């Protein structure tokens, strides 16, 4: 399997704290069936301002250690970039990283709302040849309350990645309901681990794919896996036409906000 979003690299954000942690995460990823990882530390201005050169060095250090230990995991790099006003300029200047060698960029919203004028940003990113992937929209309160808000962004050209823990139920029933609803509307293009450690937010990508197969059918799992390969190989993802659905009542029972 390919994982396009995780916090494997050590000492850069709220993911692995040191090289030992990172190795433990890598072992659990391989145990889960992951062969290639896009390590995507947070970029959030004023909180996580890691320079891309540091990310490259950290990935090299970890890859060397994994090779030494015989752990068969390919580590590629990217960033989970919090949407901010200078995003386009920072990407064009090379201060921020796309996913691997691709034109896909992983973007994070605040948990409470969709950033203002994000449709315009999607349009401008597309003009520069970049494809935005929205990280875990199922955990955004505005989208959970109105999935049509996400549908509008997808119609503009945004792609969406939901988190494995949302499908397995680790984030609770409300988030799971939202995640499945977004999948059924064909607003989801990828499942990724968003793993932060080997204990409380571990790799459970295989469990998430099993949950998706059980609820949505085996075909959609192949669709998600194929799209993850598309990112690594920098080829177009497959789109399913978006669908309108009535909102399940359970979405709004016990809804609460989550941090990334
Ligand atoms: Fe993340």
């Amino acid at each position: 399997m390919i994982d396009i979003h995780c916090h494997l690299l050590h000492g850069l954000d709220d993911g692995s704290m040191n090289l030992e942690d990172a190795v433990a995460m890598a072992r659990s990823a391989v145990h889960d069936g992951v062969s290639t990882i896009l390590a995507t530390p947070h970029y959030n201005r004023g909180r996580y301002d890691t320079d891309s050169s540091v990310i490259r060095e950290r990935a090299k250090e970890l890859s060397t250690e994994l090779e030494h230990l015989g752990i068969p995991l390919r580590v590629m790099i990217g960033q989970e970039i919090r949407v901010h006003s200078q995003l386009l300029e920072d990407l064009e200047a090379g201060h921020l990283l796309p996913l691997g060698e691709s034109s896909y960029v992983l973007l994070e919203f605040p948990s409470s709302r969709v950033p203002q004028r994000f449709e315009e940003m999607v349009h401008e990113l597309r003009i520069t040849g970049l494809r935005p992937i929205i990280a875990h929209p199922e955990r955004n309160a505005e989208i959970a309350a109105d999935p049509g808000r996400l549908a509008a962004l997808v119609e503009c050209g945004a792609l969406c990645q939901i988190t494995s823990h949302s499908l397995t139920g680790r984030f609770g029933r409300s988030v799971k309901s939202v995640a499945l609803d977004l999948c059924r509307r064909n607003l989801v293009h990828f499942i990724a681990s968003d793993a932060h450690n080997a204990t409380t937010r571990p790799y459970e990508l295989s469990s998430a794919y099993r949950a998706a197969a059980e609820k949505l059918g085996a075909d959609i799992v192949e669709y998600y896996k194929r799209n993850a390969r598309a990112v690594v190989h920098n080829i177009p993802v497959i789109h399913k036409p978006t669908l309108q659905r009535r909102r399940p009542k359970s979405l709004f029972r016990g809804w609460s906000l989550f941090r990334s």
Side-chain angles (χ1 to χ4, degrees):
M1 291 185 294
I2 293 169
D3 186 20
I4 68 161
H5 176 180
C6 71
H7 299 268
L8 175 70
L9 298 179
H10 47 295
L12 300 180
D13 59 9
D14 55 346
S16 74
M17 301 306 290
N18 51 47
L19 186 59
E20 196 180 350
D21 283 348
V23 168
M25 281 183 71
R27 279 190 203 282
S28 68
V30 170
H31 187 256
D32 197 39
V34 176
S35 56
T36 300
I37 273 179
L38 277 150
T40 52
H42 288 288
Y43 179 86
N44 189 345
R45 280 192 161 195
R47 188 173 181 205
Y48 301 120
D49 293 310
T50 312
D51 193 85
S52 55
S53 62
V54 177
I55 297 172
R56 289 183 206 285
E57 284 168 22
R58 213 52 66 89
K60 195 173 175 186
E61 183 186 4
L62 178 60
S63 293
T64 302
E65 183 68 5
L66 296 181
E67 195 175 337
H68 173 70
L69 295 169
I71 298 172
L73 185 66
R74 180 186 182 201
V75 178
M76 302 173 73
I77 56 171
Q79 278 174 303
E80 180 182 12
I81 305 164
R82 177 66 72 106
V83 172
H84 60 280
S85 58
Q86 298 297 309
L87 177 70
L88 280 162
E89 290 84 348
D90 286 348
L91 280 164
E92 284 182 329
H95 298 319
L96 298 174
L97 295 171
L99 294 176
E101 303 297 321
S102 80
S103 55
Y104 296 94
V105 289
L106 183 66
L107 303 181
E108 183 190 41
F109 290 171
S111 60
S112 59
R113 61 182 173 80
V114 174
Q116 286 185 336
R117 301 170 71 181
F118 185 69
E119 285 89 344
E120 287 174 32
M121 188 174 279
V122 171
H123 184 64
E124 288 171 8
L125 286 165
R126 296 296 309 276
I127 287 172
T128 60
L130 295 168
R131 286 302 303 270
I133 301 174
I134 301 168
H136 39 67
E138 74 280 13
R139 300 173 67 200
N140 178 280
E142 186 176 339
I143 290 169
D146 178 12
R149 187 76 184 86
L150 186 63
L153 300 178
V154 170
E155 296 292 337
C156 286
L159 301 165
C160 298
Q161 167 260 307
I162 59 167
T163 294
S164 58
H165 301 327
S166 301
L167 281 180
T168 60
R170 189 179 281 268
F171 287 152
R173 289 172 60 186
S174 295
V175 174
K176 184 173 181 176
S177 294
V178 175
L180 286 169
D181 181 52
L182 298 183
C183 290
R184 290 183 175 117
R185 291 169 188 265
N186 289 339
L187 298 177
V188 174
H189 306 88
F190 311 93
I191 301 175
S193 77
D194 198 7
H196 279 63
N197 54 56
T199 53
T200 56
R201 289 185 65 175
Y203 278 92
E204 48 186 29
L205 200 50
S206 58
S207 305
Y209 280 134
R210 273 196 299 278
E214 194 179 302
K215 296 284 186 184
L216 307 165
D219 287 353
I220 204 155
V221 171
E222 284 312 306
Y223 167 72
Y224 296 140
K225 288 182 175 177
R226 191 264 176 210
N227 281 346
R229 286 197 297 275
V231 170
V232 168
H233 297 294
N234 196 25
I235 58 175
V237 300
I238 295 174
H239 291 258
K240 289 176 182 283
T242 59
L243 301 173
Q244 301 272 351
R245 296 182 78 231
R246 292 179 64 182
R247 284 178 291 180
K249 286 180 183 173
S250 62
L251 292 185
F252 303 99
R253 242 182 265 141
W255 172 257
S256 59
L257 299 182
F258 288 80
R259 293 180 60 209
S260 62

